[in-house]
Every structure is written in structure tokens, then in C-alpha cells.
């Protein structure tokens, strides 16, 4: 079955520290992979997406993600976190007719 | 502004009532998707329309229905509302059936009291 797993429900980092949010997927074919961010009370904003080609994908707000087929992973990274990055982050895989989302990782940033 | 417009932003209604949520997709997008986000269920896919036709159904209750009109806007109808239907309802749009890029609206927060 197609699924997305985000093993970390809640992550806390200090401002300026590096960040890695984990995402593992289960999908039979070559996946379309996405990371979205949701601020409190807001909609979902696309950070980046992977369809094919270079496995290191650059996104908005200084985020990047690396697709590793052998590990079925698509982890999100940022070298230096800002307080404004505090939000909920969702990894998703694009199936034939919908997006399948993980359960999300809530990021808290301490000054 | 993502280009996907959802109205209303907030809705408070009583149990047993019926409401209609509206979504206007981004210009040029033919596919519309509806998602429900609740604390216990996370983001759940409800239904997809492509150019006026229903293409896929997810975890949509029989009390819920949707349609996409010739101008491509979509409406999600929720009836016989229960407390558990309280959630954020998102609409997303994409150009193709299998969306290579999904754009989400800001959602409608439904509160059933």
C-alpha cells in the first residue's frame, strides 16, 4: 500500500542550528515527492518537489531535500533554522489520483 | 495568495445542518481535490474532479458530496453534520489528472456545535 511515514512528531531546535526532518515512503513506481509547510491557522505551502533527475532538490526559504531510492527516503534539510520556520511540515507522495500525506512533524524553534 | 480561492474561511453551524464549501482553482488548472484535516485523522483525501468529472474518491462519507462546474469551480456539500465533522477542509488544484504540482487554498475551518 502507498504510504508516507514521518517518524518524528515533534522536533525542537535552537535558532541557527541545522535541521533534518525525516520522511520515508512506500510506493510501487517512481514517486513524485513533496514537502509542504503549514503555519498555524494557515494553508499548505509547497516547499519543494521531486519528480526526476538530480536527487538533491532545492526549495524555497533555504530548504533542500534529498531523494534516496535505496532508502525510500526524502528527508528535508536546512543548514540554519530561523524562528519563522516554526510550523508543521508534511511530506507527501503523489499517487495517480491524489497526494498521500504523512502525519506531519511539528517544528519548534527556540531563540 | 496561492491562486486557489476557498470560501468561506470560517463556518460555524449546528449539528444536523448542511453547508456548502466553495473552491475556485488556480487559473488553468483542471483538477480539483478536496482534503479534510482533523487532529485525529490528519490530512485525508476526500475526492478529485477533473474538468467536471469525478476521477477519484477517498475517505469521503456518504453524507458528503461534491461537484465541479463548467467554469471549473468546485463545491463540497456536507450534510447531516456531526460534531466529528469539525475540521479544516482544503481544496487543491493542479493542471493534470496526476498532479505534478498541487496548489492548496487556505482552507475553510468548519466548526459544528
Amino acid at each position: 500500500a502507498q504510504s508516507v511515514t514521518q517518524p518524528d512528531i515533534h522536533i525542537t531546535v535552537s535558532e541557527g542550528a541545522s535541521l533534518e526532518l525525516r520522511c520515508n515512503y512506500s510506493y510501487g513506481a517512481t514517486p513524485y515527492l513533496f514537502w509542504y509547510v503549514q503555519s498555524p491557522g494557515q494553508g499548505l505551502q509547497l516547499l519543494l518537489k521531486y519528480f526526476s533527475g538530480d536527487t538533491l532538490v532545492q526549495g524555497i526559504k533555504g530548504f533542500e531535500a534529498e531523494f534516496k531510492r535505496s532508502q525510500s527516503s526524502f528527508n528535508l534539510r536546512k543548514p540554519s533554522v530561523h524562528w519563522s520556520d516554526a510550523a508543521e511540515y508534511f511530506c507527501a507522495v503523489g499517487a495517480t489520483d491524489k497526494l498521500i500525506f504523512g502525519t506531519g512533524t511539528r517544528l519548534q524553534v527556540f531563540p | 495568495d496561492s491562486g486557489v480561492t476557498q470560501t468561506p474561511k470560517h463556518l460555524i453551524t449546528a449539528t444536523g445542518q448542511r453547508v456548502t464549501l466553495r473552491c475556485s482553482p488556480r487559473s488553468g488548472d483542471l483538477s480539483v481535490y478536496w482534503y479534510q484535516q482533523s487532529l485525529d485523522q490528519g490530512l485525508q483525501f476526500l475526492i478529485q474532479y477533473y474538468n467536471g468529472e469525478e476521477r477519484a474518491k477517498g475517505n469521503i462519507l456518504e453524507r458528503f458530496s461534491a461537484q465541479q462546474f463548467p467554469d471549473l469551480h468546485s463545491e463540497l456539500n456536507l450534510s447531516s453534520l456531526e460534531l466529528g465533522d469539525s475540521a479544516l477542509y482544503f481544496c487543491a488544484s493542479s493542471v493534470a489528472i496526476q498532479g505534478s504540482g498541487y496548489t492548496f487554498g487556505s482552507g475553510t475551518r468548519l466548526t459544528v456545535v
Side-chain angles (χ1 to χ4, degrees), chain B residues 13-113:
Chain B
T13 190
T15 54
Q17 294 299 304
R18 182 179 190 274
V19 297
T20 297
L21 313 184
R22 182 188 170 101
C23 169
S24 293
R26 198 178 55 166
S27 178
D29 286 356
L30 300 179
S31 273
V32 169
Y33 308 77
W34 286 98
Y35 285 82
Q36 179 193 59
Q37 185 180 35
S38 60
L39 284 176
D40 55 343
Q41 296 291 322
L43 273 158
Q44 296 287 318
F45 167 70
L46 296 178
I47 198 165
Q48 179 207 5
Y49 279 83
Y50 176 79
N51 204 20
E53 293 188 8
E54 181 185 304
R55 284 289 180 167
K57 264 187 174 180
N59 300 322
I60 187 166
L61 300 172
E62 286 192 10
R63 300 182 286 108
F64 296 0
S65 64
Q67 54 184 324
Q68 187 179 26
F69 295 86
D71 67 352
L72 301 177
H73 91 271
S74 178
E75 292 181 356
L76 179 66
N77 301 296
L78 315 176
S79 62
S80 303
L81 285 167
E82 303 174 359
L83 296 178
D85 297 327
S86 296
L88 255 176
Y89 291 84
F90 285 109
C91 168
S93 71
S94 69
V95 171
I97 295 174
Q98 181 174 5
S100 59
Y102 299 76
T103 304
F104 281 79
S106 57
T108 293
R109 180 169 294 282
L110 173 66
T111 303
V112 183
V113 298

Side-chain angles (χ1 to χ4, degrees), chain A residues 30-88:
Chain A
T30 300
Y32 290 179
L33 294 162
F34 305 81
W35 274 100
Y36 284 87
V37 61
Q38 183 180 27
S39 298
Q42 301 297 313
L44 294 158
Q45 182 183 23
L46 179 66
L47 285 176
L48 46 78
K49 58 189 177 185
Y50 171 79
F51 296 153
S52 64
D54 193 346
T55 56
L56 186 62
V57 181
Q58 301 298 319
I60 63 171
K61 305 185 179 187
F63 285 93
E64 66 178 26
E66 186 171 13
F67 170 60
K68 292 186 178 180
R69 185 186 298 276
S70 61
Q71 299 177 19
S72 296
S73 70
F74 189 56
N75 294 347
L76 182 70
R77 301 193 294 246
K78 187 169 185 178
S80 178
V81 171
H82 188 262
W83 63 266
S84 61
D85 294 324
E88 185 132 23

